[in-house]
Amino acid sequence: MTLVAIFSGAGISTDSGIPDYRGPKGLWRRDPEAEKLVTYDYYMTDPDIRRRSWIMRRESATWRAEPNAAHRAVAELDRRPGVAVRVITQNVDGLHQLGGMPDRKVLELHGTARTVTCTRCHVRSPMAEALARVEAGEEDPACLACGGILKSATVMFGQRLDPEVLGQAMAIAKACEVFVAVGTTLKVQPAASLAGIAVEHGARLVVVNADPTPYDELADEIVREPIGTALPPLLDRLASQPPEHLAS
């Protein structure tokens, strides 16, 4: 059994209508103030920031997005005999699971936008329920269990990654034969270091990204074509190769 790690970033979801954040046309470049809406300290101390954050969540393209050919190709690779796939994603949109990947095979480094969590009692509930309350007129819905501040179950700026999730991701990077970094700048640490960890432990590194990354010099293969069209044949080719060739 050949273990293939798919490390995905915002670029894999742009074909689904979800804009990236750091690219040339990314949200942070178009509206630097928007970064405050997902910064933990601002969010916890400023009711107006929370109100604007809930508006942003309600209007998010995530709720209209559907998995694209790249998401489906990853799930199809996992169904191929002799190949085991683990997805490590920086995305919070849940499109890998909607595209057919079992939830247990997807590690969401930055959490999920489809769930809310209370910052006081840590109870979790569906985002849809919170957005329904916003739609009904609550500008800053509080936790129904304890009255605490609710936020999306995502890692905001100023918060640390879940050490357990990061540890699982590192274990996958060390164990895989192939590490495919797709749609990610490989600049956000510590997540980006997973590519280097994989190479250090003998994995073949494939980078699928429109722009150069800091790890390109370590890559065995670099693909600059659009992800939606490039990834399906790339993964099909990987699945068709003998195991010994995958890691060579």
Side-chain angles (χ1 to χ4, degrees), residues 181-194:
V182 53
T184 172
T185 62
L186 292 177
K187 292 179 180 179
V188 180
Q189 299 292 355
S193 65
L194 294 170

Side-chain angles (χ1 to χ4, degrees), residues 10-19 65-71 95 226-230:
I12 198 172
S13 293
T14 54
D15 281 356
S16 294
I18 299 178
E66 297 288 340
N68 61 53
H71 297 108
L95 291 182
I227 293 168
T229 55

Side-chain angles (χ1 to χ4, degrees), residues 63-248:
W63 317 125
R64 303 182 297 276
E66 297 288 340
N68 61 53
H71 297 108
R72 293 192 294 272
V74 172
E76 176 61 28
L77 178 66
D78 185 57
R79 291 191 288 268
R80 298 286 287 264
V83 179
V85 175
R86 293 295 182 271
V87 172
I88 306 167
T89 185
Q90 295 171 290
N91 299 337
V92 298
D93 52 40
L95 291 182
H96 278 294
Q97 294 93 318
L98 291 176
M101 278 300 295
D103 189 63
R104 65 182 179 83
K105 295 184 178 182
V106 180
L107 281 178
E108 296 173 309
L109 287 177
H110 295 158
T112 175
R114 296 181 182 272
T115 301
V116 296
T117 183
C118 175
T119 57
R120 181 189 295 167
C121 71
H122 308 296
V123 68
R124 294 166 71 96
S125 56
M127 174 64 75
E129 293 180 2
L131 292 181
R133 293 170 62 188
V134 174
E135 200 67 39
E138 293 186 57
E139 293 186 339
D140 182 16
C143 175
L144 294 175
C146 75
I149 294 173
L150 292 180
K151 65 178 286 292
S152 62
T154 57
V155 178
M156 288 182 161
F157 291 119
Q159 288 187 290
R160 294 178 56 197
L161 297 183
D162 184 322
E164 182 177 345
V165 174
L166 182 59
Q168 292 174 11
M170 288 181 174
I172 291 170
K174 292 175 181 179
C176 69
E177 281 81 26
V178 183
F179 189 96
V180 182
V182 53
T184 172
T185 62
L186 292 177
K187 292 179 180 179
V188 180
Q189 299 292 355
S193 65
L194 294 170
I197 291 172
V199 171
E200 288 173 5
H201 286 79
R204 176 182 172 190
L205 174 62
V206 181
V207 174
V208 186
N209 199 58
D211 301 309
T213 81
Y215 290 86
D216 285 0
E217 63 183 25
L218 299 178
D220 296 274
E221 184 174 356
I222 299 173
V223 179
R224 298 286 186 226
E225 286 78 18
I227 293 168
T229 55
L231 194 63
L234 169 66
L235 296 185
D236 184 64
R237 173 164 54 84
L238 287 178
S240 301
Q241 292 176 344
E244 62 271 18
H245 290 173
L246 282 175
S248 62

